[in-house]
């Protein structure tokens, strides 16, 4: 799928910038990157295995967690080829088709992850505000429909982006400011009138991330109002504790996303090293931290981990 090359062709090629000023240390920089990717892949794969194997985790909130882990695996695998090609093989070029393909998967999976976070907020909203109707509302079909809607929305809204970029000519060095293909980055390199493409990109952001953030905020305002009405402090704490993992995941996902958007807007006044670090953190830290957050904060996940490793230790001891 990936067509990295150094040859001259009729099709435009794009160049990844890597980490400016640290070109001589790229082989050493690749070591922590490889470890982080490995941990992200292993952590999310482990979550998928636990949710599938443990009957106690066959609940809507953990089904959504499995979809989130699957999305994070896709994000890691989407960026890993270009990032490791830079640091391992000093390959900084990518063809147009490969770049558009990578861009499609990155933006689609980011939109899917945002949609899954909304579904998880809805799950917590129903669990706290309407606990007696939880099993009636959050059925297996509801979980499947919400997850499928997130995928369809992401793929449908992102699908026009590659076709819009293909209508523009690209001249010159075409140097990308990330270690992967990113729509605003590629659009800035396009020659011609990019007004419509820029407006569509803004519409995409508004109809995905902006709408999702508003829904999550409204959900937690409703949750907070319900918890305050309960009166019992111990019960309040237990109710809010069930939301802790989801809130941490929301912050882990949206803070790098917002930071990267701000840096893109003020690129000329931003340090290149800071810009590159934030762009890598945007798609690497989320898949890495999500499994860690749920392993540390979710008692059900902790119990499942202890059970699996305890059983394996007993089998090994025998």
């Amino acid at each position: 799928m990936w067509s990295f090359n150094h040859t001259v062709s009729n099709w435009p090629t794009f160049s990844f910038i890597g980490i400016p000023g640290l070109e001589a240390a790229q082989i050493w920089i690749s070591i922590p990157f490889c470890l982080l990717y490995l941990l992200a892949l292993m952590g999310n794969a482990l979550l998928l295995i636990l949710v599938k194997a443990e009957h106690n985790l066959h609940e809507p909130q953990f089904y959504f967690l499995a979809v989130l882990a699957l999305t994070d695996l896709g994000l890691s695998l989407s960026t890993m080829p270009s990032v490791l090609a830079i640091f391992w093989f000093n390959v900084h070029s990518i063809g147009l088709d490969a770049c558009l393909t990578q861009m499609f998967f990155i933006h689609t999976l980011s939109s899917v992850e945002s949609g899954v976070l909304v579904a998880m907020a809805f799950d917590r909203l129903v669990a706290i505000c309407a606990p007696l109707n939880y099993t009636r509302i959050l059925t297996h079909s509801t979980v499947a429909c919400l997850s499928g809607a997130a995928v369809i929305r992401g793929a449908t809204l992102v699908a026009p982006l590659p076709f819009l970029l293909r209508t523009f000519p690209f001249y010159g060095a075409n140097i990308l400011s990330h270690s992967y293909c990113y729509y605003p980055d590629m659009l800035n390199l396009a020659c011609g009138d990019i007004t419509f493409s820029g407006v569509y990109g803004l519409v995409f952001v508004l109809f995905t991330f902006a709408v999702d953030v508003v829904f999550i905020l409204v959900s937690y305002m409703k949750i907070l109002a319900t918890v305050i009405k309960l009166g019992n402090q111990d019960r309040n704490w237990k109710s809010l504790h069930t939301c802790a993992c989801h809130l941490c995941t929301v912050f882990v996902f949206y803070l790098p996303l917002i930071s990267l958007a701000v840096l893109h807007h003020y690129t000329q006044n931003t340090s290149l090293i800071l810009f590159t670090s934030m762009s890598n953190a945007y798609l690497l830290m989320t898949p890495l931290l999500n499994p860690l957050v749920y392993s540390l904060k979710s008692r059900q996940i902790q119990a499942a981990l202890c059970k699996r490793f305890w059983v394996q230790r007993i089998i090994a001891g025998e």
Side-chain angles (χ1 to χ4, degrees):
M1 184 174 71
W2 303 97
S3 57
F4 295 96
N5 61 76
H6 294 282
T7 61
V8 178
S9 68
N10 294 327
W11 292 99
T13 58
F14 299 86
S15 300
F16 298 116
I17 195 172
I19 299 182
L22 298 176
E23 290 81 2
Q26 282 187 163
I27 190 63
W28 299 107
I29 297 174
S30 68
I31 296 175
F33 269 96
C34 289
L35 290 175
L36 291 176
Y37 271 117
L38 183 62
L39 289 173
L41 294 174
M42 291 177 60
N44 287 288
L46 181 59
L47 280 180
L48 286 172
I49 293 171
L50 288 176
V51 173
K52 181 180 179 181
E54 295 297 323
H55 182 73
N56 292 336
L57 300 181
H58 291 179
E59 299 177 5
Q61 62 173 322
F62 296 111
Y63 289 145
F64 287 130
L65 177 60
V67 177
L68 192 70
L70 192 61
T71 306
D72 285 335
L73 280 174
L75 276 173
S76 297
L77 293 174
S78 296
T79 59
M80 188 168 59
S82 59
V83 172
L84 296 186
I86 295 171
F87 295 120
W88 277 3
F89 307 109
N90 199 30
V91 176
H92 290 260
S93 298
I94 184 172
L96 176 63
D97 289 336
C99 197
L100 292 176
T101 302
Q102 185 186 49
M103 183 206 71
F104 173 80
F105 281 107
I106 288 174
H107 287 285
T108 297
L109 292 171
S110 296
S111 175
V112 171
E113 179 145 354
S114 182
V116 173
L117 290 176
V118 171
M120 296 173 80
F122 177 70
D123 171 81
R124 292 298 84 204
L125 177 66
V126 175
I128 293 175
C129 299
L132 298 180
N133 296 321
Y134 181 79
T135 55
R136 183 178 61 84
I137 297 174
L138 269 299
T139 61
H140 289 178
S141 60
T142 303
V143 173
C145 287
L146 291 175
S147 302
V151 174
I152 293 172
R153 183 193 67 167
T156 302
L157 291 177
V158 174
L161 298 183
F163 296 100
L164 289 174
L165 288 174
R166 287 189 72 92
T167 62
F168 297 110
F170 293 89
Y171 303 112
N174 292 326
I175 299 176
L176 299 170
S177 56
H178 303 289
S179 300
Y180 49 84
C181 298
Y182 192 59
Y183 179 74
D185 210 11
M186 297 181 68
L187 191 61
N188 289 336
L189 299 174
C191 299
D193 186 4
I194 62 172
T195 302
F196 177 78
S197 300
V199 170
Y200 184 83
L202 179 61
V203 170
F204 165 72
V205 171
L206 291 176
F207 274 86
T208 52
F209 305 114
V211 172
D212 292 349
V213 168
V214 170
F215 186 89
I216 292 172
L217 287 175
V218 171
S219 297
Y220 274 100
M221 289 173 62
K222 179 66 175 175
I223 288 172
L224 187 60
T226 302
V227 168
I228 292 174
K229 289 180 181 178
L230 293 177
N232 190 320
Q233 291 186 352
D234 292 336
R235 190 177 176 185
N236 290 356
W237 169 250
K238 289 179 181 179
S239 299
L240 289 176
H241 183 75
T242 62
C243 302
C245 295
H246 179 252
L247 281 173
C248 291
T249 304
V250 168
F251 284 118
V252 165
F253 178 75
Y254 284 108
L255 282 181
L257 177 66
I258 295 172
S259 301
L260 185 62
V262 171
L263 289 177
H264 249 291
H265 190 68
Y266 301 101
T267 304
Q268 296 179 348
N269 301 322
T270 304
S271 167
L272 284 176
I273 294 180
L274 174 62
F275 190 75
T276 307
S277 300
M278 284 303 303
S279 68
N280 288 320
Y282 163 54
L283 291 180
L284 182 57
M285 298 310 293
T286 300
L288 177 67
L289 292 179
N290 281 346
L292 185 61
V293 166
Y294 275 88
S295 298
L296 294 176
K297 299 294 293 183
S298 174
R299 295 174 182 173
Q300 295 98 319
I301 296 293
Q302 290 175 2
L305 282 170
C306 292
K307 178 183 176 182
R308 301 299 290 184
F309 284 110
W310 178 255
V311 170
Q312 301 237 344
R313 186 179 297 179
I314 292 175
I315 294 174
E318 292 177 353

